[in-house]
């Protein structure tokens, strides 16, 4: 008859928690992606100044410079 080591006993005790612990970060990432997509869809129809890029005025070059 084989006796269990303490490492094997710990794996048996905590094996159930490991499988459930992976679901929480995956759900959080999916919710973040859904939120970003919802924000993009909500602002897609607006054509305000958010899409404009500021460019500095062009420098005029002198004749002898």
């Amino acid at each position: 008859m084989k006796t269990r080591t303490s490492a094997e006993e710990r794996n048996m005790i905590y094996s159930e928690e490991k499988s459930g612990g992976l679901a929480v970060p995956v759900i959080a990432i999916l919710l973040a992606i859904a939120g970003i997509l919802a924000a993009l869809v909500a602002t897609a129809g607006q054509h305000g100044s958010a899409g404009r890029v500021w460019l500095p005025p062009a420098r005029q070059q002198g004749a002898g410079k």
Side-chain angles (χ1 to χ4, degrees):
M1 179 153 96
K2 181 180 177 185
T3 59
R4 292 185 180 140
T5 63
S6 61
E8 289 175 338
E9 289 178 1
R10 277 189 300 238
N11 286 339
M12 290 182 65
I13 293 171
Y14 296 111
S15 63
E16 294 178 10
E17 294 181 15
K18 288 181 183 178
S19 62
L22 184 62
V24 174
V26 171
I27 291 172
I29 290 170
L30 291 176
L31 286 175
I33 292 172
I36 291 169
L37 290 176
L40 289 174
V41 168
T43 60
Q46 300 175 0
H47 296 290
S49 62
R52 297 181 184 167
V53 177
W54 181 82
L55 296 175
R59 294 185 181 177
Q60 295 180 355
Q61 295 180 351
K65 296 181 181 177

